[in-house]
Amino acid sequence: MRYLPEFLDRHAQEQVLRDLREAVAVAPLFTPVMPRTGKPFSVRMTNLGPLGWVSDKAGYRYQASHPELSTPWPAIPVSVLAVWNRVSNYAHPPEACLVNFYGGDAKMGLHQDRDEEDFEAPVVSISLGDTALFRVGGATRGGKTRSLKLASGDVLILEGASRLAFHGIDRVIGGSSTLLKDGGRINLTLRRVTNP
Ligand code: MD6
Ligand code: FE
């Protein structure tokens, strides 16, 4: 795992935020539900790029359109692609940028990112807004884990042996950032989905 604290300065964070506001106007946040049970996630999501990650009663998958509007996802903005280009060490562009929005008490359970065809490509994560407590373990569930604070502008890369590490968000620390006027946290994860 590669952790790049303060990778984006405040100015760069504000540019990404402006680009996200435009994208979310076209592809609004939706509340995904868990496969089978239909239990809603506490985070709201949308996607950018040719493919987007969705979860509903039928399962997890990547698809080319918004689940409520059936319209294509907006393009991944240059401000976000630039981060991939600088850190990924991967020759092909990302196909999906999952946008997770954490309000009040939102969290994310321990999971692996393994719905992609290509684990050679890294997953690049960008955090904006309030600081989160990120938990990461090994490639099997139930092993030892450790915690890391992800603050606004931090970038984290799961690659190589860490690509399939279990990870999640235990909680978000309210009031820890001034980037988002109404508080909360945004996490972007950039992924290559198909084998180039
Ligand atoms: C989050 N992040 O930071 C959730 N996945 O809100 C992830 O699930 C994640 O940070 C893959 C790689 C890096 C990540
Ligand atoms: Fe993940």
Side-chain angles (χ1 to χ4, degrees):
M1 186 175 88
R2 196 152 35 105
Y3 174 48
L4 307 175
E6 298 176 56
F7 187 80
L8 295 179
D9 65 15
R10 178 74 178 211
H11 183 79
Q13 292 170 42
E14 285 169 353
Q15 181 62 55
V16 172
L17 197 56
R18 280 193 294 275
D19 292 339
L20 287 177
R21 289 213 162 94
E22 259 182 55
V24 169
V26 173
L29 293 167
F30 59 93
T31 301
V33 301
M34 290 294 289
R36 298 188 309 278
T37 64
K39 184 180 186 280
F41 284 45
S42 60
V43 298
R44 292 188 295 151
M45 295 182 173
T46 190
N47 289 273
L48 314 173
L51 292 172
W53 187 88
V54 301
S55 178
D56 60 21
K57 282 189 161 191
Y60 306 134
R61 66 189 170 278
Y62 283 96
Q63 64 179 43
S65 58
H66 189 284
E68 292 172 353
L69 302 179
S70 300
T71 48
W73 306 106
I76 303 174
V78 167
S79 61
V80 174
L81 281 177
V83 175
W84 175 272
N85 291 338
R86 288 164 66 194
V87 307
S88 71
N89 296 317
Y90 190 76
H92 306 277
E95 295 170 297
C97 176
L98 173 62
V99 180
N100 285 144
F101 178 76
Y102 297 74
D105 289 331
K107 52 193 166 49
M108 186 172 299
L110 273 190
H111 67 275
Q112 291 172 298
D113 284 28
R114 57 176 312 147
D115 298 322
E116 302 75 31
E117 287 173 13
D118 184 8
F119 300 140
E120 293 305 305
V123 180
V124 173
S125 123
I126 305 169
S127 292
L128 296 170
D130 286 338
T131 297
L133 294 180
F134 179 81
R135 180 177 297 280
V136 60
T140 55
R141 192 182 282 281
K144 189 182 138 207
T145 63
R146 66 186 180 102
S147 271
L148 195 72
K149 278 185 179 172
L150 294 181
S152 198
D154 291 358
V155 166
L156 184 76
I157 302 136
L158 295 186
E159 60 187 353
S162 70
R163 175 64 180 75
L164 292 174
F166 277 88
H167 60 277
I169 297 291
D170 288 342
R171 66 187 181 91
V172 173
I173 304 169
S176 52
S177 164
T178 57
L179 186 72
L180 305 178
K181 307 303 157 271
D182 298 323
R185 171 174 184 265
I186 298 168
N187 179 259
L188 307 178
T189 44
L190 290 156
R191 299 99 181 267
R192 180 77 200 184
V193 178
T194 66
N195 267 306

